[in-house]
Amino acid sequence: MRFVCLLLAVLLLAGCTPESTTAPESSGAELTEKALQQIKSLGTSPDDNYRIWYELFIYSFCDSDGDGIGDIRGVISKLDYLQELGANGIWFMPIHPSSTYHKYNVHDYYAIDPAYGTMEDFDALMAECQKRDIHVILDLVVNHTGSEHPWFKEAVSYLQSLPAGAEPKVEDCKYLDYYYFTKEKKSTNRIVNGTDWYYEGVFDYQMPDLNWGSDAVRSEVKAIMEFWLGKGVAGFRVDAAKEFYTGMTDPNIEVLNWLQTTALSIKPDCYMVAEVWEGFAQIAEYYKSDFSSIFNYAFGNSNGKIISVLRGAGQPGVVSTYATGLEKADKAYSANNPDYIDAPFLSNHDVGRIAGFVGRDENKIKLAGAMNLFMSGSAFIYYGEEIGMVGAGNDPSKRAPMYWNPERNNGTTNPPPECEIPASYPYGSLAEQTNSDSSIYNYYRQAVAIRQALPVISHGRTTAETALNIGCVSAQRKTWGEESCIILMNIDTASATVDLSGYADWKLVASLSANGEAVCMNGNELQLPAYGVAVLLPN
């Protein structure tokens, strides 16, 4: 029955019917909802840390009080939207008091920035998320604090109070040990005004680096994690995880291992994901930390594997490397941490948006979404990615207001400072895309639904399916216990025919079409339209 129900949903999705390959007479919205309900009726993935995480910048998401800045109450009002999309996790960029719009220079780790709301608002958010089985992870920004944090202010005040020539003593000010104070002048050091002392601030003068060699710092970080885990959060995204000791991999691995071990001692199922902005080999090395997840920059961002393969669409020598690359990554990462959970993504708040990476080609935007969501692990979606928002240039422009409707009202925020937004977006607002079966938004909903209905997609170990990984069709096999599936992707502007005569025991059970053309089986031949996706299961 599971197969029959899912196959019916697939036929609706692809535009096929059991009697004909002609699309049913129905509006796009009705067709999409019918297919989604068929898929969702099969159930969802296990309740674990293999989730669809939605990266959310509160400032630009939804404004509930009309002050132009997004807030927690605005997020609460959109939780049903996230649930409809299929996201069952939220990663919040920093929510703590800060002097900057992005809030990566934290002044108080135990409070909510007043622009976002109150602790009571946060408690209400957690209660509403729990009702919907949406887990929450917070940005843990502990490579540095803000320069207005009391720890740093007290240390600076003490240094400024010293008589000329006097040496500072940790016994007189314990916060001296929290940071790297020195009289050495170098490019990443910033002057303590009124003294001949410097402090390390690799990113900015407003972001003094913490001293991870200090037991006191580690005790403070443990207390911060205890506080928020006690509030019900599921875990943390660790910011700048390769900068605790800049340029020193082994000490950074030790810090990550300490963070992971400490978090699990507080909450045994705590989910941790680290930002290690490096290539494939370095990410594999960092998995020696036993950290839960590390963002897979080898496949995400503008120079990752997904985008490089899409840019080489139609070139067999490029396309075939996608499945083999997935296999290589899985073997390397699991060799260093057998329990790792991959963390694939396309774009985030630090990089341009996916639409720009693929030249605003709508079909490639859709397929990129499927490539990301059909990778194993915890898949991450950057807010607005599901409607093809564009944004590049300076950082604020990558964090533009969520495009809810063409009027830009009813919760739409003002742009962050210095943010440049286009006069119009190429694919329309969420309101415009909701009722279009062919929209990027509904493509995402379908891809998420398939992933959730078939947990082997998210939980499986990946190998290239060599016999089918031919030409411009990328073929990968997922294996999870006794379950398996094969995922085929036509990464070409032309349709493709796949000979499945050697796979008589396998059936087409799910598909995605970027351009609306049907994905169908004709005997032993699978017809894949341009940028089409098919999922096979064994009988």
Side-chain angles (χ1 to χ4, degrees):
M1 179 58 70
R2 173 185 172 93
F3 168 74
V4 172
C5 290
L6 186 54
L7 180 57
L8 176 59
V10 173
L11 294 171
L12 288 166
L13 282 170
C16 296
T17 67
E19 297 82 17
S20 167
T21 58
T22 304
E25 290 296 326
S26 173
S27 73
E30 292 170 351
L31 179 61
T32 298
E33 292 307 320
K34 202 177 290 184
L36 286 169
Q37 290 309 312
Q38 289 281 357
I39 293 173
K40 290 178 180 179
S41 69
L42 300 170
T44 60
S45 289
D47 186 15
D48 55 21
N49 287 327
Y50 290 75
R51 291 184 170 261
I52 302 289
W53 297 94
Y54 191 87
E55 182 192 355
L56 199 154
F57 181 36
I58 293 180
Y59 189 108
S60 293
F61 195 63
C62 182
D63 174 20
S64 73
D65 57 14
D67 66 356
I69 297 176
D71 47 52
I72 292 173
R73 289 288 171 182
V75 174
I76 293 173
S77 73
K78 298 298 184 181
L79 289 178
D80 287 344
Y81 163 69
L82 295 183
Q83 195 169 29
E84 289 168 5
L85 175 64
N88 55 6
I90 302 173
W91 155 28
F92 285 108
M93 289 169 61
I95 61 174
H96 309 302
S98 171
S99 61
T100 57
Y101 81 93
H102 54 70
K103 310 198 185 310
Y104 275 99
N105 54 329
V106 177
H107 296 169
D108 183 353
Y109 289 101
Y110 296 95
I112 304 295
D113 192 291
Y116 287 175
T118 65
M119 191 61 76
E120 289 72 25
D121 293 333
F122 182 82
D123 290 340
L125 168 68
M126 293 303 300
E128 292 299 321
C129 285
Q130 186 175 19
K131 290 178 184 177
R132 297 165 175 81
D133 190 30
I134 295 175
H135 287 201
V136 169
I137 58 175
L138 301 182
D139 232 312
L140 187 65
V141 187
V142 289
N143 170 72
H144 52 266
T145 68
S147 57
E148 295 299 311
H149 194 287
W151 303 340
F152 187 71
K153 290 176 71 175
E154 188 165 333
V156 166
S157 178
Y158 171 73
L159 289 173
Q160 291 172 332
S161 71
L162 287 176
E167 287 296 315
K169 297 179 181 178
V170 173
E171 294 81 2
D172 295 336
C173 178
K174 69 176 185 178
Y175 297 116
L176 286 174
D177 193 42
Y178 281 38
Y179 301 91
Y180 297 105
F181 290 106
T182 179
K183 289 191 175 181
E184 180 184 359
K185 183 178 180 180
K186 59 180 184 179
S187 60
T188 57
N189 285 350
R190 323 285 177 166
I191 191 70
V192 176
N193 291 333
T195 76
D196 56 356
W197 287 91
Y198 294 86
Y199 63 93
E200 185 177 84
V202 171
F203 288 110
D204 188 85
Y205 75 94
Q206 296 183 84
M207 299 177 176
D209 287 5
L210 284 167
N211 171 19
W212 273 89
S214 166
D215 289 338
V217 165
R218 297 192 182 210
S219 294
E220 297 278 10
V221 172
K222 180 180 181 181
I224 292 165
M225 290 195 291
E226 287 176 331
F227 178 82
W228 291 105
L229 290 171
K231 284 282 184 181
V233 306
F236 303 95
R237 176 262 187 185
V238 178
D239 180 60
K242 71 181 184 69
E243 305 300 336
F244 297 123
Y245 295 90
T246 299
M248 302 172 67
T249 300
D250 288 343
N252 289 329
I253 288 175
E254 186 278 324
V255 173
L256 284 178
N257 179 262
W258 181 88
L259 284 166
Q260 175 79 16
T261 303
T262 302
L264 293 180
S265 73
I266 303 167
K267 186 179 189 304
D269 62 346
C270 185
Y271 179 61
M272 304 288 282
V273 57
E275 178 199 24
V276 177
W277 197 334
E278 291 283 7
F280 162 74
Q282 293 86 354
I283 293 170
E285 185 75 7
Y286 269 88
Y287 268 119
K288 290 180 179 178
S289 65
D290 290 330
F291 216 70
S292 301
S293 295
I294 298 173
F295 283 113
N296 201 339
Y297 277 89
F299 282 78
N301 201 359
S302 61
N303 59 352
K305 190 70 173 178
I306 289 176
I307 300 305
S308 67
V309 169
L310 285 172
R311 286 174 176 164
Q315 301 176 37
V318 174
V319 170
S320 64
T321 65
Y322 182 61
T324 55
L326 289 169
E327 179 178 345
K328 177 182 177 183
D330 184 47
K331 286 181 178 178
Y333 299 163
S334 62
N336 287 337
N337 179 5
D339 297 321
Y340 92 103
I341 302 172
D342 200 3
F345 72 101
L346 292 176
S347 61
N348 61 32
H349 62 281
D350 284 326
V351 304
R353 287 185 173 272
I354 177 63
F357 296 166
V358 294
R360 301 193 179 190
D361 184 321
E362 184 173 346
N363 289 338
K364 288 184 178 180
I365 291 171
K366 290 175 178 176
L367 183 56
M371 293 168 81
N372 178 45
L373 291 165
F374 286 3
M375 283 180 67
S376 297
S378 288
F380 284 77
I381 300 172
Y382 184 39
Y383 79 95
E385 198 169 85
E386 74 276 20
I387 58 172
M389 280 179 58
V390 295
N394 63 14
D395 282 346
S397 299
K398 302 165 187 171
R399 306 160 188 173
M402 178 66 179
Y403 192 28
W404 296 110
N405 55 64
E407 297 78 23
R408 299 187 181 180
N409 56 19
N410 295 333
T412 302
T413 71
N414 292 335
E418 301 180 21
C419 171
E420 297 180 6
I421 59 174
S424 63
Y425 284 96
Y427 314 108
S429 65
L430 173 67
E432 295 166 291
Q433 292 193 33
T434 298
N435 293 321
S436 169
D437 181 58
S438 62
S439 68
I440 297 171
Y441 167 67
N442 276 314
Y443 183 96
Y444 260 78
R445 289 182 71 198
Q446 293 162 5
V448 169
I450 292 169
R451 171 190 163 99
Q452 302 289 44
L454 298 172
V456 65
I457 293 176
S458 57
H459 290 65
R461 285 288 166 84
T462 307
T463 55
E465 188 66 13
T466 306
L468 300 176
N469 192 43
I470 299 171
C472 292
V473 174
S474 172
Q476 57 179 287
R477 182 188 290 248
K478 299 285 189 80
T479 305
W480 181 45
E482 295 182 356
E483 295 189 32
S484 59
C485 74
I486 293 173
I487 300 172
L488 303 169
M489 298 179 175
N490 180 17
I491 308 178
D492 196 358
T493 57
S495 61
T497 299
V498 182
D499 181 4
L500 294 177
S501 57
Y503 293 79
D505 294 334
W506 291 74
K507 299 294 183 181
L508 171 66
V509 295
S511 67
L512 290 165
S513 175
N515 62 11
E517 296 179 15
V519 177
C520 288
M521 286 290 298
N522 291 320
N524 290 325
E525 291 187 342
L526 174 69
Q527 304 297 326
L528 272 177
Y531 302 114
V533 179
V535 182
L536 310 180
L537 287 183
N539 281 333

